Amino acid sequence: IWIMNGDGTGAQQLTPNDWADYEPQVSPDGRFIVFTSERNGDRKIWRMNIDGSNPQILTQINGRAFNPIITPDGKTIFFVWSKEDKRVLGSVPLAGGEISEQPLITNSYMTFSPDGKQIAYNPRANFGEWRYYRGGATAPIYIADLQSGAVEKLPNQNYNDRFPMWVGDKIYTISDRTGIFNLFSIDRKTKQAKQLTNFDGQGIR
C-alpha cells in the first residue's frame, strides 16, 4: 500500500512488499487507513495510522474478511465476512472491539450513501473480465436500507454494473451495458443511467 498527495507527488510506500495488503480505505478524518491483509495467512481487516505505523488486526474471526468500507461518521467498518457456506455483511468499530453480523448477504464491493443509512452493493461476486458476458453471474447493483432492511435493485438488463461509488445523489459504476466497460452515473431519483466515458477498445477498471 502506498500513499501520495492529491497532485500525484510525494508517493511513499507504507507496507512491505512481502505481504499481500490491498483494498485501502482512508478514514474520514484522515488519521487512519483500513485495509485487507493476508499477512497472517488469511484475509483479515487491519487498521494502521496514516503514516503506516502501528498496524493492528481488527477481525480475529473464523473465516475471511475483506472489502472494507468506513461509515461516513468514521466510527464503524463494514466488510464482507466469508463464514461457513455464506458471505454476509460484518461490522467492527474503527477503534476495535466487538464484531457484529448484519442481516444482509453480500459478496463484493460496497459504498455508503452520504448519510450512512444505505449502502449500494453487488450481491454476488463480479464475474471476471469476459466481454459481453450475460450469463447467470452478472452483477447488478442493489440498495439496502440498513435500518429497515429493505432492498432495492437498480434497473439492470442482465449486464454488469461493478464497483459502485455513491457521491451525492448519484451512484457511479463501471458498467458493460454497451459491451465494453465504461464509467456511468445512475441518478437515485430518476433511476436514469448516463454514460461518462466512451472507450470502445479496452474497457476501464
Side-chain angles (χ1 to χ4, degrees), residues 1 3 13-15 25-27 29-35 46-56 94:
I1 293 174
I3 193 169
Q13 186 173 350
L14 300 181
T15 60
Q25 298 283 318
V26 178
S27 63
D29 62 8
R31 296 176 56 201
F32 302 104
I33 296 175
V34 172
F35 60 100
W46 288 66
R47 183 200 68 218
M48 62 183 172
N49 294 333
I50 195 69
D51 63 0
S53 63
N54 195 30
Q56 297 182 3
L94 179 65

Side-chain angles (χ1 to χ4, degrees), residues 94-160:
L94 179 65
E98 184 177 354
I99 297 169
S100 301
E101 178 181 336
Q102 308 296 322
L104 181 68
I105 301 298
T106 183
N107 199 32
S108 193
Y109 293 96
M110 305 168 284
T111 179
F112 274 103
S113 61
D115 61 10
K117 295 180 180 180
Q118 297 176 306
I119 62 169
Y121 69 102
N122 290 122
R124 51 182 175 263
N126 293 310
F127 186 83
E129 298 290 340
W130 289 9
R131 291 193 182 192
Y132 305 102
Y133 175 75
R134 296 295 184 264
T138 51
I141 292 176
Y142 281 69
I143 306 295
D145 188 299
L146 297 175
Q147 296 178 327
S148 69
V151 175
E152 168 195 357
K153 179 183 176 181
L154 294 183
N156 182 292
Q157 297 178 7
N158 201 38
Y159 32 65
N160 295 281

Side-chain angles (χ1 to χ4, degrees), residues 1 24 27 41 60 70 74 80 85 100 103 121 127 135-136 164 198 202 205:
I1 293 174
S27 63
Q60 291 282 19
I70 306 172
V80 176
D85 60 346
S100 301
Y121 69 102
F127 186 83
N198 292 281
Q202 297 297 324
R205 297 185 179 184

